[in-house]
Amino acid sequence: MEQSASTRRINVVDSLRGFAVVGIIIIHFLEHLNFYSFPEPTAFEQGLWDTVFYLGASKMYAIFALLFGLSCYIQHHNADKRGKDFRLRFAWRMLLLFAWGMLDLMFFNGDILCTYAVLGLFLIPLVKASGKVLLAVAAILFIQPVEVFYIMKGFLDSDATPMSLGYAHLWDDCYEVCANGSFLDVAKVGVTAGLPINFGWAIEHGRLTQTLMLFVVGMLLGRRRLFINEAGNLVFWKKAMMAALLLFAVTQVLLLSLPIGEMTPCIGNSLDIQLTAWRNFSMMTFYVGGITLLYYTTSLQKALIHLECIGKMSLTDYLLQSIVGGFLFYNWGLGLYTVSSHGISFVLGIAFCICLYFFCRFWTARFRRGPLEELWSRATYMFASR
């Protein structure tokens, strides 16, 4: 039987969100904020890059997406308890998020907020659906239906080609202005080229369906109150971690053993995307389950609590990393892309996260929400009584 969510803040969720934000920032700094121009790496630096991307890339955004779905459920649930329907206001909230994303694109052409805003609208018809319907939707999205279609297409036609939406040439425009352009040039190309690039890349690489699936799973976790330490929830997370390990082992073996490179491009590309998405999901589940268990059952809670202030200000954090990262690496700022190797970029990412922690700690000790979170909340409830 589905239970109602508590209206009190779930601190472990803030820690999880803070963990994801820190991971996202470090990865973005290593990437020079989507500007893949670096000095020649040493063997150690290449190993650092490979390790960070294997452990974190896509998994941090997966946690972020999962918690986005959880927040969606909590907002609707809390409104229901006040006798209000939050669906129309949630649509307005997503429009506001899209506006935040457009602002972010002016600094960082790899923005994810616009994608979340559009996909968030698909949750509106699902917020009152039954648990079985949500499970069915999540299962369909989990199998990566687009990739299944292309795999079947590849079997039926050996000359079939992988999906291509024709946006790849836009990368050249972005690279050119990052290397030589002014801030206004970066802002213009971020909006005009970055937006289609992000959606195109997400569609071509299965990220769109995976993100929406994670939104739905997050809603389900919220309905079951699984981030609260009660009943058999910790047992659930232990079982989830064991299942995740099994899925990881299967997908990793398949990725290493299947001759994907020898298959027809259509089949090989889609199979690689599908298996990688499943592996990433397994790793994300292991991280979420592990942090939740550590938070509730070990003395490491004292350390994890320090991530809460970052998690409470995730929107502010995200835009700050775009502004600071763009200033550090792009031509309009310090232009460090010419000298910042993987090792230096990693250290810069860590240093920024430390500074961010002290800023977030200062702010959350004095205010209920981060500055951009407060603006977003006020705009969400504009002309309405809560």
Side-chain angles (χ1 to χ4, degrees):
M1 179 151 180
E2 292 173 359
Q3 304 172 351
S4 350
S6 171
T7 56
R8 64 184 172 86
R9 195 168 188 99
I10 308 172
N11 293 329
V12 68
V13 170
D14 288 324
S15 291
L16 282 163
R17 191 178 285 113
F19 173 74
V21 168
V22 168
I24 288 168
I25 290 171
I26 291 172
I27 290 168
H28 283 171
F29 271 58
L30 271 177
E31 293 177 318
H32 291 175
L33 270 74
N34 245 19
F35 182 29
Y36 285 73
S37 181
F38 320 96
E40 186 68 26
T42 64
F44 172 79
E45 288 176 328
Q46 188 60 51
L48 175 66
W49 172 284
D50 293 341
T51 300
V52 170
F53 273 78
Y54 184 80
L55 295 177
S58 300
K59 297 83 177 175
M60 299 300 107
Y61 266 128
I63 296 173
F64 212 53
L66 186 81
L67 301 181
F68 183 94
L70 173 68
S71 297
C72 170
Y73 165 72
I74 291 173
Q75 290 161 357
H76 284 86
H77 172 75
N78 289 343
D80 284 343
K81 294 211 309 185
R82 298 193 300 268
K84 298 182 181 295
D85 190 332
F86 192 68
R87 286 176 291 184
L88 185 60
R89 196 158 296 279
F90 183 76
W92 167 241
R93 185 172 173 82
M94 292 301 98
L95 182 61
L96 293 170
L97 182 61
F98 191 88
W100 285 123
M102 294 297 286
L103 174 63
D104 189 48
L105 280 167
M106 296 175 67
F107 297 91
F108 172 39
N109 57 55
D111 166 77
I112 195 66
L113 302 179
C114 289
T115 305
Y116 277 33
V118 172
L119 290 180
L121 297 175
F122 287 89
L123 296 180
I124 294 175
L126 296 174
V127 292
K128 294 185 181 295
S130 68
K132 290 181 179 179
V133 169
L134 292 182
L135 277 172
V137 171
I140 292 171
L141 293 170
F142 177 78
I143 66 172
Q144 293 286 344
V146 174
E147 309 314 323
V148 171
F149 170 80
Y150 272 87
I151 290 171
M152 294 174 61
K153 183 179 179 181
F155 276 115
L156 295 173
D157 180 6
S158 60
D159 295 325
T161 57
M163 180 193 297
S164 177
L165 300 178
Y167 70 87
H169 68 282
L170 297 176
W171 283 112
D172 294 335
D173 297 335
C174 292
Y175 279 23
E176 174 63 27
V177 297
C178 287
N180 304 303
S182 65
F183 169 72
L184 291 179
D185 294 328
V186 169
K188 180 181 177 181
V189 81
V191 172
T192 58
L195 189 63
I197 282 174
N198 290 333
F199 278 96
W201 185 91
I203 293 170
E204 288 185 3
H205 292 82
R207 181 67 67 83
L208 220 61
T209 45
Q210 186 187 42
T211 299
L212 186 55
M213 178 271 293
L214 290 165
F215 285 0
V216 175
V217 172
M219 291 174 63
L220 281 166
L221 295 176
R223 286 190 180 191
R224 297 290 183 177
R225 298 168 57 96
L226 287 168
F227 285 107
I228 300 173
N229 185 10
E230 62 182 19
N233 288 352
L234 297 187
V235 174
F236 166 83
W237 286 114
K238 290 176 183 178
K239 292 180 178 178
M241 290 178 70
M242 289 189 288
L245 283 174
L246 177 60
L247 178 60
F248 171 82
V250 171
T251 52
Q252 185 65 34
V253 167
L254 289 174
L255 282 166
L256 292 174
S257 60
L258 289 176
I260 291 177
E262 300 173 14
M263 297 177 181
T264 62
C266 192
I267 296 175
N269 182 75
S270 291
L271 186 59
D272 183 64
I273 289 173
Q274 188 180 54
L275 291 173
T276 301
W278 293 348
R279 185 189 65 189
N280 290 342
F281 177 81
S282 72
M283 295 176 72
M284 180 276 300
T285 302
F286 189 84
Y287 292 160
V288 171
I291 291 174
T292 302
L293 289 171
L294 289 173
Y295 188 94
Y296 283 127
T297 64
T298 74
S299 59
L300 284 176
Q301 182 189 75
K302 296 177 182 178
L304 292 170
I305 282 173
H306 289 288
L307 292 170
E308 290 178 14
C309 61
I310 298 176
K312 290 177 181 177
M313 296 176 53
S314 56
L315 178 62
T316 300
D317 301 336
Y318 194 81
L319 273 104
L320 277 176
Q321 64 103 30
S322 298
I323 296 169
V324 173
F327 174 74
L328 287 174
F329 298 115
Y330 295 172
N331 178 74
W332 68 265
L334 299 180
L336 294 183
Y337 75 92
T338 59
V339 296
S340 184
S341 62
H342 296 338
I344 294 173
S345 300
F346 180 78
V347 171
L348 287 172
I350 295 292
F352 176 75
C353 288
I354 292 172
C355 294
L356 185 67
Y357 164 72
F358 284 107
F359 169 65
C360 293
R361 182 175 175 178
F362 169 84
W363 193 275
T364 55
R366 291 159 177 79
F367 303 99
R368 181 184 176 190
R369 300 184 182 92
L372 298 188
E373 286 75 11
E374 182 64 29
L375 287 173
W376 192 19
S377 178
R378 288 178 179 270
T380 297
Y381 292 96
M382 192 181 298
F383 309 121
S385 59
R386 300 195 194 187

